[in-house]
Structure formats: structure tokens, C-alpha cells
């Protein structure tokens, strides 16, 4: 099974952040529409099942 | 070419109006807008080119891909379900908290000010807690949030908890019917979700939210100590509500800080992991630093202030609740930060040009912003995505000129980037400096359509006068009265740390006085739009002997509707205080903070603004009625009412097309039949004041003056009767007719293609929605006559032959997929019906004719 925390788009929330929770991270994705690039961040839990996520790309290394 | 006024002589001098840039003289008018646009930097040029506009036309969003998002409605529903049992103000705060901690945050390329209010930069958020009718409006449209099933489920869940459901029980069905009529009063905000606010930005920029949290905590501590004081006094019970309010403020402010810092984190992640341009990387790290500090801490420079203001705007206007407008006295608000950055260069040092770029970026953020307004509001604000109006100029609280280089930077940005939004109000005062006034007029001269100019002193005096009626004797002071800004397009309101308007039920609404006069003429009956009794019975004006009786009837109607409008506002406000509290707005208002009251409850500065719209029409009509009917007795009230009821709905009353069915046993005596018909046409068009459109000879002729000759088609039929049918036909739709000689192999598909193409080519010209007459078969002239005759059939009655009826239906569907819509403004109803008539044809010919009829498809028959 693939987990969010293994994805290249997963960025753990620092411990000193207002919204810190253990294993919580930001799923940050670069997107593009006809008007140009934009980036979106959505909170996710690292242990979420990502096996059906179309944007999942396994992080290589740590 | 650019237009310049002719020189005029004034006090003996010739005043000339030269075009400032002589090159404009040679630029065609249709290109002048883009020519004058000159975003000051490559960044703002790119941002404008890539702006995701949310403009509307005829109620539809113009750009592709604009739709409602589901994220906000989903998150507020989750929070509402989880918070059952808690005080409602806490539930509202937890709702905001849940949204801000779990929503998507966005960062768009190139931008210097960050933050958006939906999960996709082309989407807009929904507010299911406001009006169930408005949500239904979206669910039924092509902009419906997805997944559609989930959106419907959320809408159903909220229905009993909406502001609308809370308010409706205090009205009868009849009253609600009157209140929801679109042209008598502005519908109650509980029904349409429309709202307006003046956020007290000053506290956010000057204090920062951490200080607001600390203040609320101090109030809670003091209140708890007071609760515990001995001996107990029941008067202190009100402290429990106050503690809840302060607690809700703390929850809301902490959530906003966390949300802003999520933007900081996103900027930092993009800078460190995605961005390859070193200069943009540096910018992103700078923005990350700003979002980490503001709005938590006080703003120190112009970049801080612009970002803190934008975050505050998003929460107050688009996340905690929807509100239209962009109310602020922007130059006064930002001057300390402009001074720090541009003049003193003590923090975020920059040049004036850098500040102008920042204001251009702000304009493009507003242009990118979208509002989830109901269809009615999208229709009445065509061309714009919402009402965005900021104010500048005038005097400051000390009675000195408020215009500064910051004011100029705002105007220069507007002139450079040329966006319709936000519009600007310039507060005119003789003390305002000439340099700034010149810029104001340059914006107007360049055709921006703004700034509008309002009288500073009159509005300041109005603020002061209204302040006398403050419920807590804390209305505007003379100093505060100087600091007003337009709340929306017309009504002024205070700006500053307190006493600003927090909701539209506190101030602002509309009354349509011309429509009310119309129904007064019909004893309260609306014959022209709703065909139903809408106002009270105030008598038949044909029985009135004096103008005063009519005036009294009108006064009663106005009183009825204004009472309904204000009652709806007041009940909205009462219910807003019960279930639509705004803890974030409360937290940034010094009054709410001091008293521990919610922003929907506290009102310090009254705002009784009620826009009476179209007064000129009503007053002109009353003056004309008094003069012509009661004073000079040139006309009677009978004649006025008859003329009102019988006025044509279009100026083109057409060619008189006459179809005669003459029984073969009929004998016409006493003259030529066609002469009699033409005489009748002449009498009807002259006596009925219909437009005369016939000219002869056709190439360079003169108007016959009585709309003759008629075009007469005669058919001999069995019997001894004469049936005369008149079908007036306007030129606009007739001009879009077409005849085609198809090949016999073209078949049904060929007919369908030919008809749909003819309608597509016609576009808006025949005044859709149209009725499409089609003739198939016969020869060249026969098929054209068939097409015309088919228009006489009762609307929508299918052809008796099944296959032809099926073809009519198929063509109608294809036409309504063209998207031309009523009057060509876009939409699903381009045609009301397709009628086909058929006749035998030659084996080698397949004639098809299309005759288009505008929506005024009227005909009348008489049998003698």
C-alpha cells in the first residue's frame, strides 16, 4: 500500500506551526490551466492511503 | 479615433482640450482601451493577460471554467455537524476554524499579494447557511458544485438551518411573494444572500491579531473574576454571552493566523522545491516572511499592509460570510505604511513605482476574485464579477487634505492597468491637492468610468447627523465623520476601528419607486410582469377626482413596500445575531471587543440608507400626470391607463401582413376589398400610434405615412365567409430569413442543418427568443409562403404528421443548444418553437425556407 507520507508532494508540517499535528503534512502540487501555473496546498495525514491518488509519486530516498 | 472636445470660449478665453498623447488621434476607438492600458511592469502585464476573470453577462459567467466549488460548503457542514450542543457563536467560530485549517490554499504565478477563497483559482465558494433558494439556483445551473449528489445532500442538510428558514416564519406567504418580486423592493438578504460590509481593517493593520487575542483573553479573565464576585448579582448573567463571544473571537483569530501561515509555508515550499528562477525564489521567501508575520502582528511596511488587508478582505467578504463591496478609505488606511516604505524607507523600502506595481497587483487580485451571487444579482450587475468600490481623497480626521502620494499611487495603478474593478470614489473637497485632482480627471478622461466624485463635506455632515440617532449614544464624532467611504456604490459609511457597517441588514437596500407607481395606477395589480395582485388595494385611479387622491394612493403603496423592505432587513438582522454570527469581524471591531458583543448585534453608527431607484422616472411621470390629466385636462386617466396597457412592446410594429380566406360564395360590394384592408391598416397604425415603416419606391422611396400598403395573401376557400388574419412582421427578424434550394438527397438532416445554420447566422439580430417558421417543398415562392403561414399556428402546437412533429422538436433542441439566448445575451432559450409546413415538390427540387419571427409573435383573426 502507498501512503501520503511516501509521496513527493508530501511536506510534513513543522512542529512549531500553528496547525501542527503528528504525521500531518501539506500535499503541495503544481497545477496548470489555460491562464498559467499555480500551486495548491491541502492538509493530509501521512498515514492516509494514497494507492488510488492519481498524483502519487513515490519519493526516492528519505 | 480618439475624441477630443471642441475648444470652448469661457470668460473671454478660448479653452482647448488637446489629446495629451497626439498619437491617440490615429488610433481607432475600438482599440483605444488596450492602447491606453500600460501595466507598469512585465509582471503586471502578465498578471493581466493571465487574469482569471469572473465577469458575468446576462447572468452567465463569461469565461470558461468558472463554477462553484464544493470545499467551503463541505467543510462548514462537517463543522456544523460536529459542534452540535455548543453555543451558536462558538459553532460559527469553529466553522471558520475548520474551513481555514482544512481548505486548499493557492499560490498563483507572479503574484505579490497571495490568497484565494476557493480550491481552484477559477472557482467560487458557496454559502449554504445563507439562502436555500440561492443554493438551489446554483445546483440547477451549469456552475453546480461537484460531486452534484454531495452538493445536493449538503443543501438539503442546511435548509432548516439557513438564515432564510429562520426569517421566513415571520412573514405570511403573501408577504414573501411580494418581497421576492424582483422589481418592487430589493429582495431580503435572507433570500438572495446578498450582503455588504466595511471591515475595520485598521485594527488588523495597527494591532495585529495576536494583540486582539490578548485583549479578548483579558476581557474573559475580567469577566470570570466578576462572575465570582460576592455577593452574586443576576445582572451578571449577560457575562456568559460575552465570554462566549470573546471565546469565539479567539478561536476565529487563531484560525486566521494559522491560515495565513499556511500561505507562508506554501510560498516557502514552492521557493525551495519548485521555483527555478532565483529572483522569484527570493520574492517567494519574502512573501513567506510577510504571511508568517501578518495579520498576526502589526503591519510595518506597505507590503505587510497590503497582504494583511487582502487576508482580512477574504475572510470578511468571502470565507466567514459572503459580502459584496471593497469598502475602505484606502489612502488613509495605507498612508502610514506607504510613508514607512516609500518615503522614510524604514521597513520594506521601495520606490513610488514599486508601490504603483503593488496597487496594480491588488487591482488584478480583485479582478480575479469571484462571488457566488444568485442569478438575479449576476444579471443586474452585467460586466462585473461583483461590486468593488474603494474610496480615496477628501479630508482626514483633522480636517486636512487626505490626498498623499499614496492616493496618487492608487490612481496611477488604476490608470495603468485599466481594469473595471475595483471602482474608485474620489471624495471631493476644495482643500484636496491639485496634483491628485488632475489624476482623478485623467482617469475619467481615459474612459475608465471612475472615479465617481462625491462631496466630502456633505457626506461627513450626514455621518455626523446620523450619529445623533446612535442606539448607544456612540455615533460618529466630528473627527470620525470625516473618515467615511462608500459602503457599495452609493451609500457612505464610517471606516476605522469601530462603528463600521458589518452587514447589509445594518444599512443598504433598494426600493423601485417607478414600478410602485405603475402598480398604483392599477390598484396594486402588477399586470406587466407578474400578472398578480402585489400591492394593497388603493383604488382605481379612473375614479380619482384630484391629483391628491392619486398621490395618497401612491404614498400608501410606497409605505407598504418600504415597511416590508425594512421589516425584512430588521428580521434578517435579528436572526443574523442568533445564527449567523461573525466572530472574526467582531474580533477586529473595537466596539464588539469592548462590549463582548457580536458584530451582528452591536450597532453604534446608524445607517438608514435605502436606495429609492428610478425616482426620476416616477417623479417625471407624476409631474406629467398632474399637468396633463388634472391641471390642463388634455388627457383623461382612462386614456392613460388604456395607453399603458396597450403600448407596443417594440418600436418596430412591422409590415401589416394580411391573410385572407375568401369563401367562393362571398360577394364584396361597395368598393375594392384590398382598398378596404389598406384603409383599415392606415387607421390602425395612425390611430394606435404605431410606427409607420413602409417606403415606396423600395430603393430610394418615401414613407407612405400610414404603413400602407399591406402585404395581402388571398386564398379562395369553399363557403360564404371571409376570414381576415393580421400578422404584423418586424424588419429585424424578417431580414434574417433564408430560402435554400437543397438537393433532394438532403433529407431531414439537410433540412435541420439548413435551418440551424440560418438561426446561428442570425444570432441576436431577430430579437430572440424566436419562433422559427419553416416551409419545406413547393417551389421557390411557395416554400417561403409556407414558412410565413407556419408562424400563424398556435405557439408550440406540433405538426399533425408525426415525422414532421419529430423534426420540429429535433430542430428546436438543436437551436437551443446554440447558446444565443434571449436577446443574444447567452442562455438556453434561443427559440420558443419551430413550426414546419410542407407541400409537394418537383422531383429535382428540394426548396426549404426559414422565416424567423421575434418573440413578439402576435396575430389576430376575424371571420365575417
Amino acid at each position: 500500500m502507498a501512503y501520503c507520507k511516501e509521496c513527493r508532494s508530501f511536506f510534513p508540517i513543522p512542529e512549531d506551526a500553528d496547525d501542527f499535528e503528528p504525521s500531518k503534512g501539506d500535499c503541495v502540487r503544481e497545477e496548470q490551466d489555460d491562464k498559467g501555473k499555480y500551486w495548491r496546498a491541502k492538509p493530509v495525514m501521512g498515514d492516509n492511503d494514497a494507492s488510488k491518488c492519481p498524483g502519487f509519486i513515490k519519493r526516492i530516498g528519505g | 479615433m480618439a475624441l477630443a472636445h471642441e475648444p470652448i470660449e469661457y470668460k473671454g478665453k478660448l479653452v482647448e482640450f488637446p489629446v495629451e498623447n497626439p498619437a491617440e488621434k490615429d488610433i481607432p476607438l475600438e482599440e483605444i482601451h488596450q492602447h491606453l492600458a500600460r501595466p507598469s511592469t512585465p509582471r503586471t502585464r502578465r498578471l493581466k493577460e493571465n487574469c482569471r476573470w469572473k465577469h458575468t453577462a446576462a447572468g452567465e459567467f463569461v469565461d470558461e471554467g468558472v463554477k462553484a466549488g464544493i470545499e467551503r460548503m463541505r467543510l462548514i457542514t462537517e463543522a456544523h455537524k460536529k459542534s452540535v450542543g455548543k453555543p451558536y457563536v462558538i459553532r460559527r467560530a469553529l466553522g471558520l476554524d475548520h474551513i481555514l485549517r482544512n481548505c486548499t490554499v493557492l499560490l498563483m504565478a507572479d503574484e505579490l499579494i497571495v490568497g484565494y477563497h476557493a480550491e481552484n483559482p477559477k472557482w467560487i465558494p458557496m454559502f449554504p447557511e445563507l439562502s436555500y433558494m440561492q443554493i438551489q439556483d446554483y445546483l440547477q445551473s451549469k456552475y453546480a458544485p461537484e460531486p452534484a449528489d454531495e452538493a445536493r445532500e449538503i443543501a438539503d442538510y442546511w435548509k432548516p438551518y439557513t438564515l432564510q428558514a429562520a426569517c421566513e416564519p415571520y412573514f405570511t406567504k403573501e408577504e414573501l411573494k411580494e418581497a421576492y418580486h424582483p422589481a418592487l423592493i430589493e429582495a431580503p438578504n435572507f433570500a438572495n444572500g446578498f450582503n455588504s460590509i466595511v471591515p475595520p481593517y485598521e485594527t488588523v493593520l495597527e494591532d495585529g491579531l495576536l494583540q486582539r487575542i490578548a485583549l479578548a483573553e483579558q476581557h474573559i479573565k475580567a469577566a470570570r473574576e466578576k462572575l465570582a464576585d460576592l455577593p452574586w448579582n443576576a445582572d451578571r448573567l449577560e457575562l456568559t454571552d460575552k465570554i462566549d463571544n470573546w471565546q469565539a473571537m479567539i478561536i476565529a483569530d487563531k484560525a486566521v493566523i494559522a491560515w495565513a501561515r499556511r500561505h507562508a509555508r506554501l510560498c516557502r515550499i514552492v521557493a525551495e522545491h519548485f521555483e527555478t528562477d532565483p529572483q522569484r525564489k527570493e520574492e517567494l521567501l519574502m512573501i513567506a516572511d510577510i504571511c508568517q508575520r501578518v495579520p498576526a502582528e502589526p503591519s510595518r511596511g506597505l507590503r505587510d499592509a497590503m497582504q494583511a488587508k487582502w487576508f482580512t478582505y477574504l475572510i470578511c467578504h468571502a470565507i466567514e460570510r459572503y459580502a459584496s463591496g471593497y469598502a475602505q478609505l484606502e489612502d488613509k488606511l495605507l498612508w502610514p505604511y506607504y510613508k514607512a516604505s516609500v518615503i522614510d524607507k524604514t521597513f520594506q523600502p521601495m520606490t513610488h513605482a514599486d508601490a504603483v506595481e503593488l496597487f496594480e497587483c491588488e487591482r488584478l487580485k480583485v479582478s480575479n476574485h469571484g462571488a457566488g451571487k444568485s442569478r438575479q444579482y449576476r444579471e443586474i450587475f452585467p460586466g462585473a464579477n461583483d461590486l468593488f468600490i474603494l474610496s480615496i481623497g477628501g479630508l482626514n480626521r483633522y480636517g486636512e487634505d487626505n490626498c498623499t502620494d499614496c492616493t496618487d499611487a492608487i490612481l496611477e495603478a488604476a490608470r495603468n492597468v485599466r481594469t473595471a474593478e475595483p471602482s474608485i470614489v474620489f471624495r471631493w473637497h476644495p482643500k484636496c491637492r491639485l496634483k491628485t485632482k488632475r489624476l482623478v480627471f485623467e482617469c475619467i478622461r481615459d474612459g475608465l468610468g471612475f472615479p465617481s466624485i462625491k462631496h466630502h463635506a456633505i457626506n461627513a455632515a450626514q455621518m455626523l447627523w446620523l450619529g445623533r440617532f446612535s442606539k448607544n449614544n456612540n455615533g460618529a464624532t466630528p473627527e470620525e465623520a470625516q473618515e467615511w467611504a462608500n459602503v457599495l456604490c452609493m451609500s457612505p459609511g464610517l471606516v476605522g476601528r469601530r462603528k463600521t457597517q458589518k452587514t447589509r441588514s445594518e444599512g443598504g437596500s433598494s426600493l423601485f419607486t417607478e414600478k410602485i407607481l405603475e402598480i398604483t395606477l392599477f390598484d396594486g395589480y402588477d399586470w406587466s410582469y407578474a400578472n398578480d395582485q402585489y400591492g394593497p388595494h388603493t383604488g382605481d385611479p379612473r375614479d380619482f377626482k384630484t391629483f391628491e387622491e392619486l398621490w395618497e394612493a401612491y404614498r400608501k403603496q410606497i409605505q407598504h413596500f418600504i415597511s416590508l423592505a425594512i421589516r425584512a432587513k430588521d428580521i434578517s438582522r435579528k436572526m443574523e445575531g442568533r445564527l449567523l454570527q461573525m466572530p472574526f469581524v467582531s474580533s477586529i471591531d473595537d466596539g464588539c471587543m469592548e462590549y463582548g458583543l457580536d458584530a451582528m448585534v452591536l450597532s453604534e453608527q446608524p445607517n438608514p440608507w435605502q436606495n429609492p431607484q428610478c425616482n426620476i422616472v416616477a417623479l417625471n411621470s407624476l409631474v406629467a400626470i398632474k399637468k396633463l390629466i388634472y391641471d390642463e385636462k388634455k388627457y383623461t386617466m382612462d386614456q392613460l391607463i388604456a395607453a399603458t396597457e396597450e403600448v407596443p412592446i417594440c418600436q418596430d410594429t412591422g409590415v401589416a401582413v394580411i391573410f385572407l380566406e375568401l369563401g367562393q360564395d362571398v360577394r364584396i360590394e361597395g368598393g375594392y376589398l384590398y382598398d378596404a384592408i389598406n384603409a383599415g391598416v392606415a387607421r390602425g397604425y395612425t390611430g394606435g400610434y404605431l410606427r409607420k415603416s413602409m417606403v415606396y419606391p423600395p430603393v430610394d422611396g418615401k414613407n407612405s405615412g400610414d404603413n400602407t400598403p399591406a402585404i395581402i395573401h388571398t386564398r379562395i376557400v369553399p363557403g360564404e365567409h371571409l376570414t381576415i388574419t393580421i400578422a404584423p412582421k418586424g424588419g429585424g427578424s424578417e431580414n434574417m430569413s433564408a430560402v435554400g434550394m437543397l438537393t433532394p438527397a438532403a433529407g431531414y438532416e439537410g433540412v435541420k442543418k439548413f435551418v440551424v445554420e440560418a438561426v446561428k447566422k442570425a444570432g441576436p439580430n431577430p430579437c430572440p427568443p424566436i419562433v422559427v417558421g419553416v416551409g419545406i417543398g413547393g417551389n421557390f415562392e411557395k416554400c417561403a409562403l409556407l414558412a410565413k403561414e407556419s408562424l400563424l399556428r398556435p405557439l408550440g402546437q406540433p405538426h399533425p404528421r408525426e415525422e414532421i412533429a419529430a423534426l420540429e422538436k429535433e430542430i428546436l433542441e438543436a437551436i437551443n443548444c446554440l447558446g444565443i439566448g434571449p436577446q443574444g445575451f447567452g442562455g438556453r432559450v434561443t427559440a420558443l418553437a419551430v413550426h414546419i409546413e410542407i407541400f409537394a415538390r418537383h422531383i429535382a427540387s428540394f426548396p426549404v425556407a426559414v422565416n424567423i419571427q421575434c418573440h413578439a409573435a402576435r396575430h389576430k383573426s376575424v371571420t365575417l
Side-chain angles (χ1 to χ4, degrees):
Chain A
M1 186 187 275
Y3 294 100
C4 282
K5 64 186 172 193
E6 298 167 341
C7 178
R8 280 183 66 180
S9 302
F10 183 83
F11 296 88
I13 293 174
E15 282 186 27
D16 60 352
D18 307 78
D19 52 342
F20 170 78
E21 281 178 49
S23 101
K24 193 176 175 184
D26 289 316
C27 170
V28 178
R29 306 279 297 275
E30 183 174 299
E31 308 278 356
Q32 172 109 27
D33 65 13
D34 59 327
K35 298 292 188 176
K37 267 191 213 172
Y38 64 95
W39 293 266
R40 58 203 304 268
K42 180 105 177 108
V44 289
M45 299 308 287
D47 297 332
N48 282 1
D49 178 5
S51 47
K52 287 184 183 164
C53 176
F56 180 81
I57 301 173
K58 194 166 171 61
R59 188 187 298 273
I60 297 170
Chain B
M1 307 307 136
L3 299 175
H5 201 287
E6 293 296 316
I8 55 170
E9 208 180 303
Y10 180 69
K11 292 187 177 175
K13 286 184 186 170
L14 193 67
V15 183
E16 295 188 356
F17 302 91
V19 176
E20 192 164 83
N21 176 3
E24 286 174 17
K25 278 189 175 168
D26 302 322
I27 297 167
L29 271 183
E30 61 272 21
E31 292 172 21
I32 202 100
H33 170 79
Q34 277 315 313
H35 170 76
L36 290 172
R38 44 176 179 270
S40 66
T41 64
R43 176 205 312 279
T44 51
R45 192 171 303 123
R46 286 193 302 272
L47 281 171
K48 186 174 182 191
E49 281 166 10
N50 296 324
C51 185
R52 296 166 176 95
W53 310 96
K54 309 292 189 305
H55 292 165
T56 59
E60 309 291 346
F61 289 103
V62 176
D63 281 13
E64 284 298 313
V66 179
K67 59 175 282 188
I70 199 162
E71 193 173 74
R72 186 193 177 280
M73 62 194 294
R74 178 187 287 155
L75 292 172
I76 198 163
T77 309
E78 287 171 1
H80 195 256
K81 287 178 179 173
K82 275 198 285 190
S83 62
V84 173
K86 295 187 189 302
Y88 220 98
V89 68
I90 300 284
R91 296 184 76 180
R92 286 284 296 166
L94 290 172
L96 181 66
D97 178 83
H98 191 63
I99 293 169
L100 295 180
R101 290 177 190 274
N102 293 286
C103 68
T104 304
V105 295
L106 296 177
L107 167 69
M108 269 74 97
D110 273 324
E111 58 184 13
L112 289 176
I113 303 167
V114 300
Y116 192 67
H117 55 317
E119 62 269 41
N120 181 301
K122 287 194 174 187
W123 295 3
I124 46 184
M126 290 285 99
F127 302 83
E129 68 272 34
L130 298 178
S131 153
Y132 60 79
M133 286 195 324
Q134 188 209 2
I135 292 293
Q136 285 303 326
D137 176 40
Y138 269 88
L139 290 177
Q140 290 166 14
S141 77
K142 60 185 173 186
Y143 314 116
E146 287 176 304
D149 288 347
E150 185 188 351
R152 266 193 296 277
E153 201 179 302
I154 290 172
D156 289 344
Y157 167 81
W158 274 99
K159 195 172 175 185
Y161 304 116
T162 54
L163 180 65
Q164 185 175 5
C167 293
E168 282 184 334
Y170 302 99
F171 298 86
T172 65
K173 273 187 180 173
E174 277 300 303
E175 287 167 340
L176 289 175
K177 184 189 83 175
E178 291 171 16
Y180 294 170
H181 188 300
L184 290 163
I185 58 171
E186 178 179 316
N189 70 356
F190 62 74
N192 58 32
F194 192 64
N195 187 27
S196 51
I197 186 173
V198 186
Y201 290 112
E202 280 78 353
T203 53
V204 181
L205 271 57
E206 291 168 10
D207 299 359
L209 297 183
L210 288 170
Q211 196 175 317
R212 306 303 292 178
I213 292 169
L215 268 174
E217 285 170 343
Q218 286 166 20
H219 281 299
I220 291 174
K221 186 168 175 284
R224 287 192 186 285
E225 285 168 4
K226 206 169 176 187
L227 274 179
D229 269 357
L230 295 176
W232 167 248
N233 183 330
D235 288 348
R236 290 181 219 147
L237 272 176
E238 64 172 20
L239 288 170
T240 56
D241 291 336
K242 292 179 180 219
I243 289 170
D244 288 345
N245 282 323
W246 285 313
Q247 195 60 50
M249 295 182 203
I250 293 169
I251 294 169
D253 283 3
K254 284 185 176 174
V256 173
I257 292 170
W259 172 71
R261 288 177 174 169
R262 288 182 58 209
H263 288 82
R265 213 158 60 218
L266 174 60
C267 291
R268 196 166 295 115
I269 290 169
V270 173
E272 290 168 356
H273 297 271
F274 293 85
E275 188 56 62
T276 52
D277 176 0
Q279 196 183 335
R280 178 63 177 161
K281 200 178 268 198
E282 208 174 300
E283 267 176 13
L284 286 171
L285 292 172
M286 174 191 74
I287 299 169
D289 171 63
I290 292 170
C291 296
Q292 185 67 25
R293 284 188 294 102
V294 300
E297 299 170 22
S299 296
R300 296 167 65 193
L302 189 59
R303 293 188 195 281
D304 280 4
M306 293 289 267
Q307 184 60 62
K309 182 163 79 76
W310 184 254
F311 279 145
T312 307
Y313 165 78
L314 285 179
I315 302 292
C316 296
H317 285 260
I319 298 179
E320 191 170 38
R321 182 181 173 184
Y322 161 70
S324 186
Y326 200 55
Q328 55 195 287
L329 187 52
E330 190 173 39
D331 49 353
K332 172 254 170 189
L333 175 66
L334 295 179
W335 168 243
Y337 312 101
Y338 177 94
K339 185 169 177 291
S341 293
V342 180
I343 297 173
D344 303 338
K345 299 197 190 296
T346 50
F347 196 76
Q348 294 168 341
M350 64 173 78
T351 63
H352 179 79
D354 294 333
V356 171
E357 184 193 36
L358 209 46
F359 285 115
E360 289 177 25
C361 286
E362 181 194 29
R363 296 191 68 81
L364 292 162
K365 283 299 278 185
V366 174
S367 299
N368 201 80
H369 189 79
K373 291 179 304 182
S374 65
R375 184 177 176 91
Q376 185 194 349
Y377 275 77
R378 296 200 304 270
E379 285 187 2
I380 62 176
F381 298 139
N385 49 5
D386 206 351
L387 288 174
F388 301 103
I389 298 111
L390 61 86
S391 301
I392 54 171
L395 303 184
N396 64 20
R397 62 191 295 120
Y398 309 109
E400 302 157 345
D401 183 9
N402 183 52
C403 298
T404 59
D405 288 354
C406 183
T407 319
D408 294 356
I410 294 165
L411 287 164
E412 285 167 40
R415 202 178 149 199
N416 291 345
V417 81
R418 286 184 78 82
T419 56
E421 299 102 14
S423 182
I424 298 176
V425 170
F426 182 70
R427 308 184 319 150
W428 179 270
H429 193 279
K431 281 188 187 173
C432 294
R433 67 189 196 178
L434 204 59
K435 185 183 167 202
T436 301
K437 283 178 179 167
R438 181 177 173 82
L439 268 170
V440 167
F441 284 103
E442 282 175 355
C443 287
I444 296 168
R445 182 205 63 189
D446 282 0
L448 289 185
F450 57 80
S452 62
I453 294 178
K454 295 202 76 171
H455 197 293
H456 174 89
I458 288 178
N459 283 289
Q462 187 186 145
M463 292 295 99
L464 203 54
W465 188 76
L466 292 174
R468 292 165 48 198
F469 303 97
S470 169
K471 278 169 73 177
N472 64 351
N473 294 318
N474 196 23
T477 64
E479 292 77 24
E480 288 166 343
Q482 302 288 345
E483 295 181 339
W484 57 267
N486 266 27
V487 178
L488 280 175
C489 55
M490 292 302 294
S491 128
L494 293 183
V495 301
R497 297 180 60 97
R498 69 191 295 167
K499 308 180 190 179
T500 71
Q501 180 183 315
K502 316 297 189 313
T503 169
R504 190 159 177 78
S505 63
E506 204 179 343
S509 188
S510 297
L511 185 76
F512 303 97
T513 52
E514 94 293 15
K515 180 70 183 174
I516 296 173
L517 177 59
E518 183 200 304
I519 68 167
T520 306
L521 293 176
F522 294 87
D523 190 21
Y525 193 87
D526 176 16
W527 65 271
S528 68
Y529 179 81
N531 203 26
D532 204 351
Q533 186 74 27
Y534 269 79
H537 289 283
T538 47
D540 184 341
R542 287 173 293 199
D543 300 332
F544 295 164
K545 299 286 180 280
T546 62
F547 176 75
E548 284 64 35
E549 286 178 77
L550 177 68
W551 178 255
E552 181 57 19
Y554 184 47
R555 198 187 63 77
K556 280 182 183 161
Q557 295 284 352
I558 290 275
Q559 186 186 50
H560 173 83
F561 284 106
I562 206 163
S563 294
L564 182 64
I566 292 176
R567 179 174 146 212
K569 269 169 61 170
D570 288 349
I571 288 178
S572 283
R573 183 158 173 77
K574 178 86 180 164
M575 295 303 140
E576 284 170 333
R578 265 191 210 171
L579 53 76
L580 208 65
Q581 296 92 337
M582 302 274 283
F584 176 72
V585 175
S586 310
S587 79
I588 60 173
D589 179 277
D590 275 352
C592 296
M593 182 62 80
E594 180 186 337
Y595 300 129
L597 287 175
D598 186 76
M600 298 300 99
V601 174
L602 177 64
S603 175
E604 299 195 272
Q605 170 74 4
N607 180 355
W609 195 276
Q610 184 82 14
N611 266 0
Q613 312 241 1
C614 311
N615 273 349
I616 300 299
V617 177
L619 292 173
N620 279 348
S621 303
L622 283 165
V623 168
I625 288 171
K626 183 171 187 307
K627 176 178 161 57
L628 299 175
I629 295 179
Y630 293 101
D631 294 348
E632 297 177 1
K633 303 193 188 314
K634 192 170 178 185
Y635 301 103
T636 64
M637 186 58 84
D638 276 300
Q639 283 174 310
L640 172 66
I641 287 178
T644 310
E645 282 181 316
E646 292 167 10
V647 72
I649 59 173
C650 175
Q651 93 289 351
D652 186 355
T653 47
V655 172
V657 182
I658 310 290
F659 293 89
L660 294 181
E661 285 187 358
L662 181 62
Q664 63 183 5
D665 300 329
V666 174
R667 180 182 165 82
I668 307 288
E669 292 181 342
Y672 180 41
L673 174 61
Y674 282 18
D675 285 347
I677 288 169
N678 279 320
V681 167
R683 192 191 302 168
Y685 273 79
T686 308
Y689 303 105
L690 306 182
R691 195 181 80 181
K692 291 84 184 172
S693 306
M694 297 300 278
V695 290
Y696 187 82
V699 179
D700 54 358
K702 286 186 178 170
N703 197 307
S704 65
D706 57 8
N707 215 44
T708 61
I711 292 174
I712 304 169
H713 304 289
T714 309
R715 199 151 62 96
I716 307 296
V717 295
E720 52 183 21
H721 297 287
L722 170 63
T723 299
I724 304 169
T725 300
I726 180 162
K729 186 71 169 70
S733 57
E734 190 74 358
N735 293 345
M736 299 296 110
S737 304
V739 174
M741 304 304 285
L742 311 188
T743 59
Y748 290 120
E749 265 312 303
V751 174
K752 178 179 163 188
K753 193 175 166 195
F754 180 77
V755 177
V756 174
E757 274 301 311
V759 174
K760 187 176 174 186
K761 199 173 156 193
N765 296 320
C767 294
I770 53 177
V771 182
V772 183
V774 180
I776 306 175
N779 60 2
F780 176 74
E781 79 276 8
K782 178 67 180 175
C783 72
L785 189 56
L786 287 172
K788 178 79 73 192
E789 285 174 342
S790 73
L791 295 172
L792 300 178
R793 199 195 299 162
L795 192 68
Q797 179 182 305
H799 193 277
R801 289 181 72 101
E802 204 173 305
E803 73 279 14
I804 301 298
L807 183 61
E808 287 175 340
K809 195 174 167 203
E810 197 178 327
I811 294 175
L812 179 63
E813 284 171 4
I815 288 171
N816 284 334
C817 285
L818 291 174
I820 298 169
Q823 293 298 318
F825 287 121
R828 286 166 291 181
V829 185
T830 301
L832 300 169
V834 174
H835 292 168
I836 299 175
E837 292 297 332
I838 58 172
F839 198 78
R841 62 172 171 83
H842 187 281
I843 51 170
S845 302
F846 191 24
V848 177
V850 179
N851 192 216
I852 298 178
Q853 169 69 54
C854 68
H855 62 277
R858 294 175 178 183
H859 36 83
K860 191 85 180 170
S861 293
V862 64
T863 300
L864 305 174

